Amino acid sequence: MDFQYTEEQVALRDMMKSFAAREILPRAEHVDQTQEFPYDVWAKLGELGVINMNFPEQAGGSGVDILTQCLAIEEIGYADSSYTPTFSAQQSSCRHILRYAREPKRTEWIEKYVKPICRGEAWGATALTEPNSSSNDASSMQTTAVRDGDHWVINGTKMYSTASGLKNTLFVIVWAIVDKQTRASKMFLVPTGTPGFTVGNKLPKLGLRGADTRELFFDDCRIPLDHVLDGENSSDINPVGDTQFHSRLFLASNAIGLQRFCLDEALRFAKERKTWGVTLSQRQLIQGWLAEMATDIEISTLLRDRAAWRYDRGELTVSEAAMVKYVTAENALKAANYATDIFGGMGFMEGVPVVRRLRDAKGLTIILGGVTLFKWIIAKELGCTDE
């Protein structure tokens, strides 16, 4: 593995750094307070070609590797962490079409759905999590799909669906049980506006407020048989790997950007703030916190880069993806905690950027599953369970 980024990767990273400083960072506080999705900024991201840029050119991308896209997301995450859940949702929803839609629907949906999403003109969403079933425990979900003549009929409720309520969301990919005895499940594409499919109100969140998060309801929702995404060989379908691996890499990149922001803000403040005639940066305890933050960024970055390198080679394992997610998210929360402590009383005031990042960092430790889940996944691959 080469630890040096390519010239193309460096150029993209620098471009995104400038874009984020100009377009995203100045509006981050407004987005957080209003909880409004930044449609105009997202359209500009589409113009830059960074949405699903790792997709092949014929599907609207530029065919770059996953690390290149991660570097772009890291710079966006430095300015505002709330964009990344939407990136993950677009990657997931479109990737399922590319991999599992059958012809001629695959070609039709690439033109109708995938390319507009890559251009930043539309959105797709996914729906796996339920009130009593997590995104990592699909076997316990209760949503069902029953075949009725030339249709599938879907019934159930989904939770925490990102981007499903945006003004031009075109469809949602839904997981549903098709055999209650075997717990076999399939994925279905449900176009927005299908009778029986209702998008709930936006769910208020502690952080990551720019991301649109909804509850979805399916009440005798009928879709044609050809709206099932089961591929040419249904045994090849791995929704956890397909959906979760890249999402964990995107989240890790977001977390690294957040860590870097917190370190920069804490270091700046520590060099300016004096107590008893001495700047905070001259105090050994504060120096230790700053040193930990800097070291954690290096650890997180190396872990992310290696995982991305292995992802593109088809070698990333479930436990490695779990390590990337929980370590980078925990490091982000630690960095935000240290930053708010260094800011003292200001670190408890709304409107101070590191306070917003503390709320965002807590969200990073929860979405896609909590720390205890990922430690259990790692332990399971170590052979610590009987399953």
Side-chain angles (χ1 to χ4, degrees), residues 107-138:
T107 298
E108 175 189 334
W109 286 344
I110 287 175
E111 294 297 325
K112 184 177 181 180
Y113 297 140
V114 177
K115 288 185 178 180
I117 287 173
C118 291
R119 294 194 297 265
E121 301 168 357
W123 292 265
T126 59
L128 176 57
T129 303
E130 298 183 0
N132 294 306
S133 173
S134 76
S135 59
N136 291 275
D137 183 24

Side-chain angles (χ1 to χ4, degrees), residues 362-374:
K362 184 59 182 176
L364 298 182
T365 68
I366 294 173
I367 60 176
L368 297 180
V371 173
T372 54
L373 169 66
F374 288 101

Side-chain angles (χ1 to χ4, degrees), residues 148-352:
D148 180 22
D150 58 356
H151 285 79
W152 288 96
V153 181
I154 302 175
N155 282 282
T157 301
K158 297 292 184 178
M159 292 287 292
Y160 313 133
S161 178
T162 298
S164 54
L166 297 178
K167 62 184 179 183
N168 196 28
T169 296
L170 303 177
F171 66 92
V172 61
I173 303 292
V174 182
W175 277 264
I177 296 294
V178 296
D179 188 322
K180 291 184 178 181
Q181 289 192 339
T182 65
R183 304 299 296 169
S185 63
K186 289 183 181 293
M187 294 182 291
F188 302 88
L189 187 148
V190 180
T192 301
T194 300
F197 169 36
T198 304
V199 179
N201 294 328
K202 182 186 293 186
L203 299 173
K205 301 190 297 294
L206 176 67
L208 305 174
R209 291 175 173 174
D212 183 277
T213 307
R214 307 270 177 156
E215 189 173 14
L216 307 179
F217 305 95
F218 300 88
D219 183 13
D220 289 335
C221 177
R222 299 176 66 87
I223 58 171
L225 292 182
D226 59 7
H227 280 49
V228 64
L229 287 84
D230 57 359
E232 298 300 325
N233 182 358
S234 60
S235 64
D236 291 338
I237 293 181
N238 177 20
V240 173
D242 291 345
T243 303
Q244 305 290 4
F245 281 6
H246 71 261
S247 292
R248 290 168 190 173
L249 287 168
F250 288 0
L251 184 146
S253 302
N254 193 355
I256 294 167
L258 189 151
Q259 290 176 68
R260 288 173 41 219
F261 179 88
C262 287
L263 175 59
D264 287 350
E265 285 292 292
L267 184 59
R268 175 191 60 78
F269 187 82
K271 289 180 177 180
E272 296 173 354
R273 172 66 167 164
K274 286 186 178 182
T275 58
W276 292 281
V278 177
T279 61
L280 294 179
S281 62
Q282 293 179 273
R283 299 189 179 279
Q284 190 172 24
L285 178 59
I286 304 300
Q287 291 173 351
W289 286 351
L290 294 169
E292 284 185 57
M293 293 165 73
T295 303
D296 286 344
I297 291 171
E298 292 299 314
I299 293 170
S300 296
T301 302
L302 288 169
L303 191 59
R304 188 273 315 274
D305 288 3
R306 178 180 180 274
W309 182 78
R310 287 177 59 77
Y311 175 94
D312 278 325
R313 287 157 180 75
E315 299 172 355
L316 186 64
T317 67
V318 173
S319 64
E320 288 170 342
M323 292 175 189
V324 172
K325 194 279 180 185
Y326 104 75
V327 170
T328 55
E330 286 290 287
N331 282 346
L333 183 59
K334 178 180 174 183
N337 264 317
Y338 279 163
T340 52
D341 282 347
I342 289 170
F343 268 70
M346 288 181 63
F348 197 63
M349 299 293 122
E350 285 289 358
V352 177

Side-chain angles (χ1 to χ4, degrees), residues 16 19 24 40-51 76 83 87 118-120:
M16 291 310 304
F19 176 85
I24 297 178
D40 56 336
V41 177
W42 191 263
K44 293 178 182 179
L45 290 171
E47 293 173 1
L48 290 175
V50 299
I51 301 170
I76 295 170
Y83 285 73
F87 268 102
C118 291
R119 294 194 297 265

